[in-house]
Amino acid sequence: IIRKWLLCDFDPVRLPNISSSNEQFELSHKKAQDVYRSLRDKGFGDCVIAISGSGRHILIAVNIPCNEETDKIVKDFYTYMGSVFSDDNVEFDEKVYNRSRITKLYSTYAKKGANLPTNPWRQSKIVYIPKELKPTPIEKIKELANLAPKEKPKQAPNRPNRNYINTPFDLRTWLNEHG
């Protein structure tokens, strides 16, 4: 199996379940333009640009195998992108690194909340497809992935080691013990 695309999703920071305002929508557009230029300056290939409905998408063409090693590289790439390009107005969605996630079908409408003049529903659509679409080499993705902030591993809370095999299970006791 080969991964063909990396989705960069830029969502305006706003209240949940409401479409973006025109101002928020424009902020996501400016953020996507900045990121597009930055990626091109770093040697990435030309990208597909789309409207997600409330924000913007950049689709990076790739041709990389789907395996644990490349999944880690892609996740670190998204962590880097989020750490550099998210701010108080526009968030880079780091969760889309997961190849099992889906995105909307372009030409459908994003209908969050009521369709208001200040926060209208918008149609998702592709707005730019390059004449020549060359996959960005994994080495370019790896360069940015290597710059991702390293998180300290989360330590599991200290809990007594219990063997529940052949022991009656008492839900009330278990819930009390585990908060």
Side-chain angles (χ1 to χ4, degrees), residues 21-39:
S21 68
N22 291 331
E23 179 184 349
Q24 291 166 329
F25 183 69
E26 186 56 33
L27 287 171
S28 71
H29 180 205
K30 288 179 182 173
K31 178 67 71 174
Q33 285 177 322
D34 292 344
V35 172
Y36 177 82
R37 286 186 200 104
S38 176
L39 291 174

Side-chain angles (χ1 to χ4, degrees), residues 2-128:
I2 301 293
R3 187 189 294 247
K4 294 289 189 180
W5 298 99
L6 295 181
L7 171 67
C8 298
D9 183 13
F10 302 92
D11 293 315
V13 176
R14 62 192 188 282
L15 295 172
N17 301 317
I18 188 166
S19 293
S20 60
S21 68
N22 291 331
E23 179 184 349
Q24 291 166 329
F25 183 69
E26 186 56 33
L27 287 171
S28 71
H29 180 205
K30 288 179 182 173
K31 178 67 71 174
Q33 285 177 322
D34 292 344
V35 172
Y36 177 82
R37 286 186 200 104
S38 176
L39 291 174
R40 292 299 308 265
D41 290 347
K42 290 174 173 44
F44 279 57
D46 209 353
C47 302
V48 174
I49 309 295
I51 292 172
S52 66
S54 283
R56 293 291 173 141
H57 286 167
I58 295 176
L59 295 140
I60 303 168
V62 295
N63 192 17
I64 56 178
C66 293
N67 58 45
E68 287 182 24
E69 179 187 353
T70 59
D71 285 350
K72 171 84 170 87
I73 292 167
V74 169
K75 184 175 184 191
D76 287 348
F77 169 76
Y78 278 89
T79 299
Y80 165 78
M81 295 293 286
S83 71
V84 172
F85 294 111
S86 289
D87 60 31
D88 293 340
N89 297 312
V90 179
E91 179 182 55
F92 178 89
D93 187 348
E94 296 178 39
K95 295 181 297 297
V96 297
Y97 76 88
N98 182 340
R99 57 184 146 108
S100 67
R101 293 195 49 120
I102 60 171
T103 188
K104 64 177 39 89
L105 178 65
Y106 295 116
S107 82
T108 59
Y109 278 81
K111 295 183 174 183
K112 288 191 177 180
N115 186 16
L116 304 171
T118 56
N119 300 80
W121 293 344
R122 292 185 190 83
Q123 186 177 23
S124 65
K125 57 186 168 186
I126 296 173
V127 295
Y128 172 72

